[in-house]
Amino acid sequence: MVLNNIEKLLEKYDNAETSLKEEAELRAYFESENVDAHLEHYRPMFQYFSQSQKEQYTKDVPLNTNKTRLYQWISVAAVAVLMVGFFIPNWGSEIKTLAEYTPEEQKMYLETKHALAMLSNTFNEGASSFGTLSLASENFNIGLEKASHITEFSEITNRLLKN
Amino acid sequence: MKQADFVSLIMPFKDKVFRLAKRLLVSREEAEDATQEILLKLWKNKEKIVEYKNVEAFSMTMTKNFCLDRLKSKQAQNLKIVHSNYTDNNSSLQKQLEARDSMGWVSKIMEDLPEQQKIIVQLRDIEQYDFSEIAKMLDMNETAIRVNLSRARKTIRQKLNNTHSYGVK
């Protein structure tokens, strides 16, 4: 009975009319031990099919993520920002003359100028008192020179005394 | 899509891609290269493939096209690396061993089939796809697939029968 069924299935199989389930049945039959002698030649075919199903792909595939791309561009952006900073330092502010400012601002400006002038005056005074100090240091230098004359003199007298 | 998501997406069918490539390109190394190429292509387009309904069918179509292109370019260069054109009838040790192994016969017979039939037998008898799925993958109608499959099966059976009863190829 089984044989009859298998033969029918095989005929359908050859005409490509079997369903996947029927093909699984056939495969199961030919994988079993008791295959009828006159169907023996089908055996390697079905065995081959089920064996090649087991072949596997074992190589690794290098999957690169492209996260690093963003970081590369950050440095470029930083340089661009710096360049903009260098070449356009005062964006949007034109140079004005004193007359264009409001009277209050003008007054403030003059007052500041005055105060700074006073400050510089006192600095100058300080500088002139430094001048007297430098005079004193000159006198010191002269004194030192004279002292060196004296040491020379004493050396000569020592020599004379030795003789 | 993260790497892990992608791997779990391709895991179920990467072997099928490889086996189809091997069926068409014969040599294992060639098939490995082709599979890698295809998986990398999928990875590069990972944003797009999410939208596809059936990534597996899409990948199988891609594999088929890629391998056929590969074969075509190889023939154009007149450089066939596959060992199917190896016509040394003084049976080498390799051949003797294969002849003893009846499964080797089947693989030999399948190598001689036309490409179209090879693909169909591979998809149906080895990978066990539905006819409707195969039709989608190959962009053919089901009747044409059945006709081709029937022809291929009959050829294999015939040749196997000859080998079996006479022991000659």
Side-chain angles (χ1 to χ4, degrees):
Chain A
M1 259 317 56
V2 177
L3 191 62
N4 217 342
N5 188 21
I6 292 292
E7 271 175 0
K8 255 186 217 159
L9 278 184
L10 275 178
E11 207 189 312
K12 268 174 92 182
Y13 176 80
D14 277 347
N15 293 322
E17 282 159 356
T18 41
S19 67
L20 283 175
K21 211 178 149 198
E22 287 166 330
E23 278 169 31
E25 236 172 272
L26 280 175
R27 214 171 291 122
Y29 172 75
F30 283 105
E31 259 167 35
S32 65
E33 288 305 310
N34 47 355
V35 177
D36 201 80
H38 77 282
L39 294 176
E40 187 68 33
H41 62 274
Y42 273 106
R43 209 185 354 194
M45 183 164 141
F46 286 102
Q47 275 177 347
Y48 176 76
F49 288 156
S50 27
Q51 206 185 43
S52 21
Q53 237 176 55
K54 286 172 196 143
E55 204 168 353
Q56 281 183 339
Y57 178 68
T58 46
K59 249 171 102 180
D60 278 336
V61 179
L63 299 175
N64 300 323
T65 41
N66 18 4
K67 265 185 197 165
T68 45
R69 256 184 218 171
L70 196 88
Y71 293 113
Q72 283 171 0
W73 286 104
I74 281 177
S75 59
V76 176
V79 168
V81 167
L82 273 179
M83 299 276 269
V84 168
F86 270 121
F87 288 111
I88 317 165
N90 32 8
W91 186 269
S93 69
E94 314 100 46
I95 297 158
K96 290 182 188 171
T97 54
L98 185 63
E100 280 169 18
Y101 286 99
T102 59
E104 255 176 46
E105 280 173 334
Q106 283 185 28
K107 201 182 154 196
M108 228 182 318
Y109 168 72
L110 287 174
E111 263 172 21
T112 322
K113 206 175 158 187
H114 189 68
L116 284 175
M118 270 172 69
L119 196 68
S120 76
N121 256 350
T122 48
F123 265 120
N124 284 342
E125 270 170 33
S128 63
S129 58
F130 268 118
T132 54
L133 268 180
S134 69
L135 255 177
S137 76
E138 239 171 61
N139 288 343
F140 267 121
N141 283 343
I142 294 166
L144 275 175
E145 249 173 59
K146 279 181 184 165
S148 71
H149 282 313
I150 290 167
T151 50
E152 245 174 67
F153 176 73
S154 69
E155 257 178 41
I156 292 166
T157 47
N158 280 347
R159 252 186 250 160
L160 281 174
L161 280 173
K162 266 186 195 168
N163 291 339
Chain B
M1 190 189 278
K2 294 256 173 60
Q3 253 189 29
D5 299 335
F6 180 73
V7 170
S8 59
L9 178 73
I10 61 161
M11 200 42 94
F13 63 85
K14 73 171 180 25
D15 292 332
K16 294 182 183 178
V17 166
F18 172 64
R19 289 191 290 251
L20 179 61
K22 194 171 175 234
R23 174 70 53 219
L24 287 168
L25 300 173
V26 180
S27 117
R28 187 185 175 88
E29 285 73 26
E30 284 273 320
E32 276 174 353
D33 286 353
T35 312
Q36 182 168 349
E37 198 83 5
I38 280 148
L39 293 182
L40 282 178
K41 267 186 196 170
L42 285 174
W43 173 245
K44 259 183 219 155
N45 295 311
K46 57 183 180 298
E47 308 305 333
K48 269 183 250 159
I49 59 171
V50 185
E51 295 161 22
Y52 289 117
K53 270 178 260 145
N54 193 342
V55 182
E56 182 170 339
F58 174 72
S59 313
M60 294 309 267
T61 312
M62 227 167 97
T63 312
K64 182 206 84 179
N65 290 336
F66 182 84
C67 292
L68 290 183
D69 279 355
R70 216 35 201 275
L71 286 173
K72 224 184 266 172
S73 73
K74 234 187 270 164
Q75 271 160 359
Q77 291 164 7
N78 202 13
L79 242 177
K80 234 180 167 184
I81 319 175
V82 295
H83 45 80
S84 58
N85 64 340
Y86 186 68
T87 51
D88 180 14
N89 282 326
N90 291 336
S91 51
S92 62
L93 185 64
Q94 171 83 27
K95 271 202 168 170
Q96 281 177 351
L97 282 174
E98 261 180 31
R100 251 180 253 152
D101 180 3
S102 46
M103 294 215 252
W105 295 340
V106 186
S107 119
K108 273 263 147 61
I109 292 165
M110 281 193 70
E111 264 175 46
D112 290 338
L113 289 175
E115 255 118 42
Q116 188 78 273
Q117 291 181 17
K118 254 192 241 179
I119 297 168
I120 292 173
V121 171
Q122 174 77 20
L123 293 179
R124 177 71 186 182
D125 277 331
I126 296 176
E127 309 300 356
Q128 292 162 31
Y129 282 115
D130 254 327
F131 280 118
S132 60
E133 279 178 304
I134 299 174
K136 245 183 267 159
M137 284 172 198
L138 303 183
D139 195 21
M140 286 166 75
N141 64 28
E142 286 186 33
T143 329
I145 290 171
R146 279 177 202 272
V147 169
N148 268 304
L149 183 62
S150 163
R151 263 183 219 151
R153 281 173 175 173
K154 279 176 182 159
T155 316
I156 295 173
R157 196 208 14 161
Q158 187 103 45
K159 286 194 179 174
L160 214 49
N161 204 2
N162 288 349
T163 329
H164 190 74
S165 28
Y166 312 117
V168 286
K169 234 193 128 211

